[in-house]
Each structure stands twice: as C-alpha cells, then as structure tokens.
C-alpha cells in the first residue's frame, strides 16, 4: 500500500522531469533531483519530504519533524507524513521538488 503510492508518485515525476530520478536515502527508496534526495519512504512506511524550515502543510495534514536517530535531534527541514494522509503525498512531493529546483 505505502510503497505502491510512493512509487506511483515517483514514477509520475520521473516521467515528467528528466532531472528527477529514483535513488536511495538511508537504504530506503527515494526520489532525487539532480542527484539530491528531496523525498523518500522511511522504514516506518511514512513519506518523508525536504520542505525546509517553517513549512506549512496542506489543510488537515500534520507535519512531523523527521528524526531517525536515537541520540540526536531531528533532521532540519525534513518532515514525515503518515499514510493516513497519503492523498497529500503528491502535493507535498511537488512542494519538495519545487524547493529542490529553487535551491539547485
């Protein structure tokens, strides 16, 4: 379920943009822009997005800071979203892609 939704989004963006490719992030499936990760599916089957600091989510979606570490703080600007909000995953992926394009 989770991977299928993630992969649907990834395939759509890879076909639409030549700079978008498949890849890995911490051994998890990821989406890259010019070789840099901007979104991936975590080992907990949550989609993770690089949205930058002070990001806002679509209405009703709770952004949770992504923290894969036990003894460190969260990764700055990275947020995870549970599958219960999978209908917003594509919109958030496109926001992350827009930020990646802007910062490249």
């Amino acid at each position: 379920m989770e991977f299928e939704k993630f992969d649907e989004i990834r395939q759509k963006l890879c076909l639409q943009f030549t700079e978008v490719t498949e890849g890995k992030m911490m051994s998890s499936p990821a989406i890259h822009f010019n070789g840099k990760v901007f979104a991936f599916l975590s080992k907990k089957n949550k989609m993770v997005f690089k949205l930058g600091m002070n990001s806002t989510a679509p209405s009703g979606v709770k952004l949770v800071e992504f923290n894969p570490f036990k003894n460190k703080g969260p990764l700055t600007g990275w947020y995870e979203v549970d599958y219960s909000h999978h209908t917003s995953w594509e919109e958030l992926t496109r926001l992350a892609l827009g930020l990646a394009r802007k910062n490249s």
Side-chain angles (χ1 to χ4, degrees):
M1 230 172 20
E2 292 90 346
F3 177 77
E4 288 78 10
K5 181 63 178 176
F6 165 82
D7 198 46
E8 173 189 317
I9 296 166
R10 181 170 63 175
Q11 293 305 320
K12 188 183 293 186
L13 292 177
C14 285
L15 289 172
Q16 191 173 359
F17 303 100
T18 57
E19 310 93 344
V20 175
T21 56
E22 296 182 19
K24 295 279 186 183
M25 171 71 157
M26 296 187 271
S27 301
S28 295
I31 311 172
H32 292 232
F33 176 78
N34 285 338
K36 294 187 178 185
V37 176
F38 65 91
F40 68 98
L41 187 68
S42 75
K43 295 198 183 308
K44 294 180 181 178
N45 287 320
K46 296 180 180 184
M47 191 124 177
V48 182
F49 310 93
K50 187 173 185 179
L51 298 172
M53 295 174 56
N54 304 319
S55 295
T56 58
S59 180
V61 176
K62 182 179 178 188
L63 292 179
V64 177
E65 289 184 308
F66 179 64
N67 188 356
F69 311 111
K70 291 181 181 180
N71 299 319
K72 292 184 182 180
L75 294 177
T76 303
W78 287 88
Y79 300 91
E80 64 183 356
V81 177
D82 190 80
Y83 185 75
S84 63
H85 296 290
H86 71 276
T87 56
S88 296
W89 281 10
E90 185 170 348
E91 180 181 353
L92 289 164
T93 304
R94 289 184 180 276
L95 287 172
L97 173 58
L99 182 65
R101 293 176 88 178
K102 179 182 172 185
N103 292 334
S104 69

